[in-house]
Amino acid sequence: KKFLSSIKTRTLLIGASDDPFVPEESLPDDSELGQETSLEMYPRGGHLGFCSANPFSPEPCWLDYRILAELRAVSITTG
């Protein structure tokens, strides 16, 4: 956490409140994040899960879509 405020490159951190390995209280608050760093918290997602509630769904994990959206946003803003 102590280095998050010095990150100079756009960085997205994604967490879940129900993560059994990384408790929500251990995550940084806004005052610990740098100007280019943002944290998105979701109520469900577990530890790297972030998949559909239906395990038989043909949809891939929604985290894949969120990462692609962030990469597209970065490519648009950086040209």
Side-chain angles (χ1 to χ4, degrees):
K1 282 176 24 172
K2 66 181 180 178
F3 298 108
L4 291 175
S5 62
S6 25
I7 293 175
K8 303 291 183 217
T9 304
R10 183 173 171 165
T11 302
L12 173 63
L13 306 172
I14 298 175
S17 298
D18 67 346
D19 188 326
F21 297 106
V22 183
E24 189 171 5
E25 56 273 4
S26 73
L27 296 172
D29 58 39
D30 288 342
S31 69
E32 297 172 290
L33 299 176
Q35 203 169 19
E36 293 295 323
T37 307
S38 59
L39 171 63
E40 290 182 4
M41 286 298 297
Y42 294 91
R44 299 191 47 89
H47 188 73
L48 301 178
F50 304 103
C51 293
S52 167
N54 177 358
F56 303 105
S57 171
E59 296 292 321
C61 296
W62 63 261
L63 181 61
D64 300 343
Y65 291 111
R66 182 61 192 96
I67 292 169
L68 286 173
E70 183 67 13
L71 292 172
R72 285 186 188 110
V74 169
S75 69
I76 289 170
T77 59
T78 59

